Amino acid sequence: PVYRVLVYLAAQAEIIHNDDTTMQVLELVKEIRERRESGEDPERTGMQTTGIVAERDGNRIALFFTGRNHAGENLTAVLAQREESLSVPIQMCDPLERNVPKDFKTILCNCNSHARRQFVDLVEDFPGDCRFVVETFAEVFKNDATAREEGMSPQERLEFHRANSRPLMAALRLWSWKVFKERTVEPNSRLGKAIRYMRRHWRKLTRFLYVPGAPISNNVCERILKKAIIHRKNSLF
């Protein structure tokens, strides 16, 4: 009963984070094997644990769903309990189609930590360009931490980011166009792919500059999924 209430409360949240990590379920593994041996198509063979973190009235609810369904499908099941009178929730996730609920509208945000991480992985090969990107994101995250430490309201935080983070993100976007225009970065190189990823999802990466309360990253969801990852490792998977 407590779990069902938590799911209901999560459905009413203002901000929802979600993500997946792979997981093995022995019962499902056995079922897939038996279907294949009998000549049946097992349809889905992937298994994952979805983590959902719902923020409401300054509190957080962490939910876990393990099985064949992806994050978007599990979020759809949660949002099915949302009161119709509520406004559209803010959703933070990675830019994978399977993370988005198909039957419910959300204000979609993408994770800046995920975009930043792609450049961190390339620092040794492209030190100058990657250092600029990583240091720019560092300043933006520092601004977000300041807003949190000072207890700013969503609107105050939005105005603070507009004053301090928007110039940084604008410089980053200008750089991403300039390097291709001047041909200092090959678009099909690893660095070029990281830049194209950032440009492709720019609007959702910068949602925190336009929507009060929009999160800057999905780190809170990745942190709770570490519990599932540790469980997976301890199960010798």
Side-chain angles (χ1 to χ4, degrees):
V2 172
Y3 180 74
R4 289 197 295 271
V5 171
L6 286 174
V7 172
Y8 172 80
L9 292 175
Q12 320 311 316
E14 299 138 7
I15 303 171
I16 301 175
H17 303 249
N18 67 324
D19 201 3
D20 279 333
T21 186
T22 57
M23 187 61 68
Q24 291 292 301
V25 181
L26 292 178
E27 184 178 344
L28 296 180
V29 171
K30 180 181 178 182
E31 179 186 311
I32 291 168
R33 184 174 63 249
E34 290 174 349
R35 284 193 173 189
R36 283 175 170 166
E37 289 174 351
S38 65
E40 292 184 50
D41 182 1
E43 297 178 5
R44 287 192 181 186
T45 58
M47 288 163 271
Q48 47 274 322
T49 290
T50 293
I52 293 178
V53 178
E55 300 185 23
R56 181 188 180 193
D57 299 329
N59 298 307
R60 286 175 175 168
I61 298 172
L63 301 173
F64 298 88
F65 303 86
T66 298
R68 293 191 177 95
N69 289 344
H70 293 293
E73 294 166 323
N74 288 317
L75 182 55
T76 295
V78 172
L79 291 179
Q81 300 189 44
R82 187 175 181 84
E83 299 292 342
E84 294 183 1
S85 60
L86 295 176
S87 58
V88 175
I90 298 170
Q91 180 191 359
M92 165 57 74
C93 63
D94 291 338
L96 296 174
E97 187 177 348
R98 62 174 180 261
N99 288 336
V100 181
K102 297 188 183 302
D103 300 331
F104 296 93
K105 183 179 179 181
T106 61
I107 300 173
L108 193 58
C109 310
N110 284 162
C111 178
N112 284 276
S113 289
H114 189 81
R116 172 188 173 277
R117 198 174 301 135
Q118 299 192 45
F119 292 93
V120 171
D121 294 340
L122 301 175
V123 165
E124 292 185 3
D125 297 327
F126 306 94
D129 290 322
C130 289
R131 185 178 298 114
F132 167 71
V133 176
V134 171
E135 290 178 355
T136 299
F137 274 121
E139 288 299 313
V140 173
F141 274 87
K142 183 179 178 181
N143 291 337
D144 200 58
T146 299
R148 185 169 56 253
E149 290 166 4
E150 296 185 4
M152 296 183 188
S153 68
Q155 186 61 39
E156 290 172 339
R157 172 180 173 269
L158 176 66
E159 293 172 1
F160 181 76
H161 269 305
R162 283 183 172 177
N164 297 278
S165 300
R166 185 158 58 178
L168 296 168
M169 297 301 287
L172 184 57
R173 190 179 193 188
L174 179 62
W175 169 85
S176 72
W177 287 97
K178 185 177 178 181
V179 292
F180 286 164
K181 184 177 180 180
E182 297 181 355
R183 299 185 179 181
T184 57
V185 173
E186 167 57 45
N188 291 323
S189 67
R190 289 190 297 156
L191 177 59
K193 290 178 181 179
I195 294 171
R196 286 193 287 118
Y197 170 91
M198 184 174 63
R199 284 172 47 174
R200 188 165 61 250
H201 303 292
W202 187 260
R203 186 67 178 175
K204 286 174 278 191
L205 288 170
T206 58
R207 197 77 76 186
F208 67 97
L209 297 175
Y210 305 98
V211 178
I216 198 172
S217 76
N218 204 25
N219 289 349
V220 64
C221 193
E222 293 185 3
R223 285 199 298 272
I224 71 157
L225 280 176
K226 287 184 178 179
K227 295 181 180 293
I229 293 168
I230 291 172
H231 172 71
R232 182 178 68 215
K233 290 181 178 179
N234 290 342
S235 302
L236 304 181
F237 290 126

